[in-house]
Amino acid sequence: MDSGKTSRHIDSNTALYGLVGRPLAHTLGPRMHNAAFAAVGLNALYLAFETRDIAGAVTGARALNLQGLSVTLPYKTSVMEFLDQVDEMARKIGAVNTIARRGDLLVGFNTDAYGALKALETCLDPGALRGMPCLIVGAGGAARALGFTLARNQAALAVSNRSRERGERLAKELDCPFLAEQEAWEFGADLLVNATPVGMHPLADTCPVPDHVLRKGLVVMDLVYNPRDTLLLQKARARGCRTVSGLDMFIFQGAEQFRLWTGLEPPLEVMKTAVLEAINLTHRALVAAALADGRSRIIDPLLCEDTMHTVNGLRTLGVPVDLREGEIIVQGTGGRFPARSDPWDQLPLPVGRIGAGVRTTPSHWCPKDA
């Protein structure tokens, strides 16, 4: 099986799937699902449909015989009224992130809950959630999905949220206490989950949890997956916590979507590889732009820890790199880095956790006018 690079023939029999939401510029869904379709030999295609009209999107999907849809923000709740049926768990959670065609019917499911549980299982033993003190920070759709999953596994839940009204409403539905911010940090959780957008690109330098809460042995899960390695996860690891990435949840929930749509076992490793390759594309584009002549624009970059190591490394080498909303501007060197007085082997060139970074040798180190 490959990672989705195999060319395919699109014809009148190609089954169409897609993603609806807004905005969708940074989505990894098309790469992940198209890689999965190619790996199992399905004549199928997955596209992103950014829309401001969820009712019209569902009507269009029905009329054009789409076989399935992923649903993301801001429509996970509002989409429910336009479906023929909603799965019992999705209705209980109050959010749908997956639509599957069943004959002439469009049926809503929630795979976020499944994805969250599978991601936690990479860090926790089966049954470990029973009685475990768990703090959920946030009260949106992802928090709801995770909350019902943890409640079903008999965790000892508490909810904290900046908006007290929304937080108290979710806590009531989960039959657990709502904690104001200071109370939350004193709760003594063994599992802490960030289900807020705090720490997400472009605000990747923010952390939703104070450092003193991150004690050794605490399990910290961040549902943010862009950047893949959030500031919260970095701080948690540095203080001896066990960490679970939102990227794992994203891949597992996508795998369950694939199963619901096709009835087939998802090629999990292929899907994971496709997502990681998509992240590395930005890294490679940055290096290519730095070596090119003139000014380059990288549109809709995917920013993660390793991408930022590359950006900082290029800046260390004197390459102008400008991060903007939705793009990165790089002033190329033509393969010749600006002259510096520093010895090349003493420069602090950062390297990411999976080895992505900027490495140089003396042969690369020459003035522009040489």
Side-chain angles (χ1 to χ4, degrees), residues 37 57 78 124 208 213 249 251 271 274 283 311 314 323:
F37 292 149
S78 59
L124 295 172
V213 177
M249 174 179 168
I251 293 168
M271 298 172 81
H283 162 71
V311 167
L314 291 173
L323 298 180

Side-chain angles (χ1 to χ4, degrees), residues 21 56 59-60 86 115 131 136 162 176 205 230 279 301 311 350:
T59 299
V86 175
I136 299 174
R162 286 186 179 180
C176 73
D205 59 347
T230 62
I279 292 172
V311 167

Side-chain angles (χ1 to χ4, degrees), residues 89 92-93 143-152 170 173-174:
M89 177 54 70
K92 187 174 183 180
I93 293 171
R144 292 176 61 84
L146 183 67
F148 280 102
T149 298
L150 293 175
R152 190 169 57 178
L170 177 58
E173 293 175 6
L174 296 175

Side-chain angles (χ1 to χ4, degrees), residues 285-286 289-290 294-299 301 311 314-315 319-332:
L286 279 164
R295 186 170 176 266
S296 299
R297 295 174 66 212
I298 301 173
I299 308 298
V311 167
L314 291 173
R315 286 172 171 168
V319 179
V321 181
D322 183 15
L323 298 180
R324 302 182 183 180
E325 181 64 31
E327 65 179 7
I328 302 176
I329 307 296
V330 182
Q331 185 62 47

